[in-house]
Amino acid sequence: MMNTVVKNYRQWRNYRDTVEELNRLSTRDLNDLGISRSDISDIAREAATAK
């Protein structure tokens, strides 16, 4: 049970950190990376579960 709680917390933190980091980028920088603002949550969700 504790492992699940720790894993979920780490995934949530990774998601939140990724969203914050991508939101700090300018629209131009995001475009250079091929990312639209509407894609940020999907990308963050994918990154959170990848680790």
Side-chain angles (χ1 to χ4, degrees):
M1 161 112 173
M2 195 61 171
N3 288 337
T4 303
V5 172
V6 171
K7 179 182 173 186
N8 288 341
Y9 174 75
R10 286 182 180 155
Q11 286 180 339
W12 172 78
R13 277 297 302 251
N14 192 10
Y15 171 82
R16 193 186 76 172
D17 292 346
T18 303
V19 168
E20 287 179 3
E21 189 170 339
L22 289 173
N23 276 324
R24 280 190 223 119
L25 296 175
S26 70
T27 301
R28 183 177 180 160
D29 289 337
L30 288 172
N31 286 339
D32 287 346
L33 295 170
I35 299 171
S36 70
R37 292 218 177 262
S38 63
D39 294 333
I40 289 176
S41 63
D42 291 335
I43 292 168
R45 193 172 301 109
E46 204 173 298
T49 58
K51 288 189 175 182

